[in-house]
Amino acid sequence: MNSMRDAKRRYDEIEIPEELSERIQGEIRKADAKRRKILAFRRRLKRGTAAAAAAAAVFITALNTNTAFAETAGNLPVIGAVARVFTFRSYETEEDDLHISVEIPSVEMISRDFDGLAQSVNEEIFRLCSQYADEAKARAEEYRQAFLDTGGTEEEWAAHNIQIRVWYEVKSQSEKYLSLAVMGTENWTTAYSQTRYYNFDLENGRLLTLEDVLGENFQERADEEIRRQMKEREEKGTVYFDSFEGIGKDAPFYLNEAGNPVIVFEKYEIAPGSEGQQEFEIPAAACKNRIMK
C-alpha cells in the first residue's frame, strides 16, 4: 500500500509543461467545435428532409412546363423516379412571315433500361417531329407561292399569321404508367394535324395497347361505352355522323390521371369539324381486366 501511495505522490508532483497544457486545451477546443458542427448539420438535415417533397414537386412541374429549365435539367440525376419526360430539342424560326415552333420530347427510363424501349421510342418521336415540321413548312411555302401567284400581296400574306407548332404534353404519370401525347398543328389548315400517343407500362417495360388496359373483347366494350356517351351528348346538342361503326384495334388513346383509357377522334372523324376533337373516357367499371389496379 505504501508503494501505491508513493507512486501517486510522485505522479502528482510531476510538473506539466506549459506548452503541453496549451496543446491539450487546444485539442479540447477543436473537439468542441467539431461537436457543434455535427449538431448543426443534423439540425439542417432534419429541416431539409421536410422541404425535400416540396422541392421535388417544384422540380417536376418546372421540368414539364419550362423548356429552358427542362433542357438544363436533362443532364441532372433524378432519385426515386421511374421515368421522366423532358424537352430534348426546341427551336423557333421566323421566315417569310412563317412562324415555326418546335419542342421535341425525350423519355428517360430512370430505374431500368427495359431493353432499349426508351431509345427506340425517342428515335421514332424525333423522326416524326422533324418530318412533320419539314413537311408543314413545305406545305406553307407552297400555299404562300400559290397565294402570291393568284394576286395576293405580301402584306395580305403577312396578315394570315401562319404558324406551325410541334409540341408535347404529358397526359398522366404514375409509378405504373406514363402517357405522352406528341402533336403537330398548322393554324391555316386542320387537314394535316397529327397527334401520336405513347402509353408506357413502367412495370413491365412495354407500350400498352387498348387490349392490355381493357382486356378481352376490348373493342366491343369500348364501342358500347362510346355509343352511350354519344347519345348523351346528342341530347345536349352535339352533332355526330351516322357512320360510326366502332373503333379499330389500334384506335388512338391516352391514359388519364385515373388510369382510364381515353379514346380520341380527330376533327371530322365522327362529327363535323365545328364539334372539334371528340374524346371518350372508358370508365373503370367497363374495364373488367384492367392491369392498372
Side-chain angles (χ1 to χ4, degrees):
M1 291 293 288
N2 290 336
S3 61
M4 290 288 293
R5 284 196 295 269
D6 292 339
K8 182 178 184 304
R9 178 176 53 78
R10 289 195 299 272
Y11 176 82
D12 291 339
E13 291 175 352
I14 295 174
E15 183 179 353
I16 299 176
E18 183 178 349
E19 178 183 356
L20 180 59
S21 177
E22 291 177 356
R23 287 177 59 187
I24 292 173
Q25 293 300 320
E27 292 301 321
I28 292 174
R29 287 193 296 270
K30 287 181 181 179
D32 288 341
K34 184 175 181 180
R35 186 168 56 254
R36 286 194 297 270
K37 286 181 180 180
I38 292 174
L39 292 174
F41 173 77
R42 288 176 177 173
R43 286 194 294 269
R44 290 195 301 270
L45 182 61
K46 188 176 181 180
R47 291 194 299 268
T49 301
V58 171
F59 180 88
I60 292 171
T61 301
L63 185 64
N64 287 317
T65 58
N66 186 293
T67 299
F69 179 81
E71 290 173 333
T72 301
N75 296 320
L76 298 179
V78 177
I79 299 173
V82 179
R84 66 171 175 174
V85 181
F86 60 92
T87 301
F88 174 73
R89 183 188 180 194
S90 67
Y91 64 89
E92 292 190 27
T93 62
E94 189 83 35
E95 182 180 346
D96 294 329
D97 295 309
L98 173 63
H99 181 76
I100 302 176
S101 173
V102 177
E103 289 185 349
I104 302 177
S106 181
V107 178
E108 180 183 6
M109 298 297 176
I110 296 172
S111 60
R112 286 187 289 169
D113 180 52
F114 291 126
D115 296 324
L117 172 65
Q119 180 179 347
S120 62
V121 171
N122 289 336
E123 289 174 355
E124 178 180 297
I125 290 175
F126 185 86
R127 176 177 55 80
L128 289 174
C129 290
S130 301
Q131 180 178 330
Y132 182 90
D134 292 341
E135 292 178 353
K137 181 181 179 182
R139 284 191 291 267
E141 289 174 344
E142 290 177 3
Y143 175 35
R144 175 180 180 275
Q145 191 59 51
F147 179 82
L148 297 176
D149 289 345
T150 54
T153 66
E154 293 285 356
E155 291 76 14
E156 290 172 333
W157 169 255
H160 279 67
N161 189 30
I162 301 297
Q163 297 186 27
I164 295 169
R165 187 183 179 199
V166 178
W167 81 106
Y168 67 93
E169 180 181 334
V170 176
K171 289 294 187 178
S172 63
Q173 182 172 4
S174 72
E175 292 181 355
K176 295 183 177 181
Y177 61 86
L178 165 66
S179 191
L180 173 69
V182 182
M183 297 159 281
T185 58
E186 300 156 65
N187 70 336
W188 62 280
T189 176
T190 59
Y192 298 100
S193 296
Q194 293 183 14
T195 302
R196 185 69 61 90
Y197 298 97
Y198 296 90
N199 302 291
F200 294 87
D201 178 353
L202 299 180
E203 291 186 317
N204 301 299
R206 60 195 177 101
L207 291 176
L208 290 167
T209 66
L210 270 176
E211 185 174 6
D212 292 329
V213 182
L214 296 179
E216 246 182 285
N217 301 320
F218 69 96
Q219 288 175 281
E220 290 82 354
R221 295 175 190 275
D223 291 345
E224 180 181 355
E225 181 61 25
I226 289 172
R227 289 191 176 98
R228 186 191 68 78
Q229 293 185 35
M230 288 174 67
K231 184 176 180 180
E232 285 186 352
R233 297 178 190 182
E234 285 176 329
E235 292 174 354
K236 297 178 181 179
T238 303
V239 177
Y240 289 104
F241 300 141
D242 296 327
S243 57
F244 178 66
E245 298 179 354
I247 65 169
K249 291 183 178 180
D250 299 319
F253 76 99
Y254 65 87
L255 296 173
N256 61 15
E257 294 293 344
N260 293 329
V262 179
I263 298 175
V264 182
F265 295 90
E266 297 297 335
K267 278 186 177 182
Y268 303 103
E269 193 172 355
I270 61 172
S274 58
E275 299 293 352
Q277 178 176 282
Q278 295 292 304
E279 299 187 355
F280 298 88
E281 177 182 2
I282 310 302
C287 306
K288 303 298 184 183
N289 299 316
R290 296 174 74 246
I291 66 171
M292 294 303 173
K293 294 178 181 179

